[in-house]
Amino acid sequence: MLHAVFSDIHSNMEALEVVLADAKKEGAGSYLCLGDIVGYGAEPKECLSRIKALNGIIIAGNHDYAACGKTSIEYFNEYAREAAEWTMMQLDQDEQTYLADLPLIYRTDQYCLVHGSLDEPEIWEYIVGSESAQRSFNVLREQILFIGHSHVPWIFVQDRNGTIESYRASELMLESNKKYIVNIGSVGQPRDLDPRASYCLFDDEAGHVRYRRLEYTIAKTQNKIRDAHLPEILALRLEMGR
Ligand code: ZN
């Protein structure tokens, strides 16, 4: 089965449509969404209904819980907080209940999905170095953990001696004696100085992960953010990829 693994859409409908069209063209038969469907952008309702209709697996991100009052937005920066409050006002009760009911973790025999970190998913930690990666590897039973949250594509590999290496790559071939944490990057707000939408295709039989980067009409998304009177920085950062 070929899975489209995607995350951090952040109410960016243009980026989402480009990613879903690409996944379909590449032959994806399953959709795994790692959360942060909403927050920052201007089309939370549209993104939520588009993703629900895929009938895939969806887990929660911090912005999804923030938009239904399930997680505190005190630690959000000023722009994120303003966008979270705006998003909450756009969503009706059913949509908020849907987001509140999303699980924090999804696992199969082979792979596991979490938005932030596997050891404490509810605190929304960023896995950015070998120490934080280690804590997730310690509780990872499966061979591969897909994560989002930092909006930066990155791979952590643990060999059978426990040694962790991390690097960036455009694809990954799984080796049977190793475990992996794969940050798939962000669909709707990349932060690795590459403004193109990011997601991964995961072939679970071949044990192969492939990153995809796709251009979309950023100006259209920016206009919607400005029309909604969301903070200007949320429009600007899209073209900078940060
Ligand atoms: Zn996010």
Side-chain angles (χ1 to χ4, degrees), residues 8 10 36 63 115 149 151:
D8 298 275
H10 287 295
D36 278 6
H63 286 260
H115 186 70
H149 196 35
H151 300 203

Side-chain angles (χ1 to χ4, degrees), residues 21-202:
D22 186 73
K24 192 175 176 191
K25 187 191 82 195
E26 293 292 318
S30 141
Y31 294 87
L32 310 176
C33 175
L34 273 53
D36 278 6
I37 295 169
V38 302
Y40 295 129
E43 292 187 293
K45 293 172 97 70
E46 293 80 356
C47 288
L48 181 57
S49 102
R50 184 75 174 89
I51 289 171
K52 277 164 75 174
L54 294 169
N55 289 316
I57 300 298
I58 309 174
I59 59 167
N62 50 324
H63 286 260
D64 304 317
Y65 277 3
C68 58
K70 195 171 171 175
T71 209
S72 167
I73 55 173
E74 272 171 38
Y75 68 97
F76 276 26
N77 67 42
E78 188 189 334
Y79 317 114
R81 202 178 317 132
E82 193 176 332
E85 283 163 357
W86 180 90
T87 300
M88 195 184 256
M89 287 196 301
Q90 310 303 310
L91 300 177
D92 64 29
Q93 195 52 55
D94 284 353
E95 291 162 331
Q96 292 195 27
T97 303
Y98 182 85
L99 291 177
D101 287 344
L102 290 176
L104 287 167
I105 297 175
Y106 176 82
R107 52 203 337 162
T108 70
D109 290 343
Q110 186 189 22
Y111 64 86
C112 183
L113 315 176
V114 74
H115 186 70
S117 71
L118 189 57
D119 54 322
E120 289 186 278
E122 68 285 352
I123 67 165
W124 314 110
E125 186 193 11
Y126 293 95
I127 299 180
V128 286
S130 45
E131 256 179 54
S132 46
Q134 179 73 63
R135 289 194 290 275
S136 282
F137 275 127
N138 288 346
V139 291
L140 180 64
R141 305 192 293 261
E142 301 78 9
Q143 193 186 13
I144 181 164
L145 172 66
F146 289 103
I147 61 168
H149 196 35
S150 73
H151 300 203
V152 176
W154 204 255
I155 298 168
F156 296 88
V157 187
Q158 186 181 51
D159 67 18
R160 70 171 126 193
N161 300 319
T163 307
I164 295 172
E165 280 185 11
S166 81
Y167 55 86
R168 180 165 188 157
S170 57
E171 63 178 329
L172 174 67
M173 203 69 208
L174 303 184
E175 295 174 54
S176 57
N177 53 358
K178 293 180 177 171
K179 283 182 168 188
Y180 301 84
I181 297 174
V182 176
N183 192 314
I184 58 176
S186 166
V187 170
Q189 195 198 77
R191 294 180 193 161
D192 60 340
L193 303 178
D194 179 348
R196 294 176 300 167
S198 173
Y199 83 104
C200 279
L201 288 166
F202 169 45

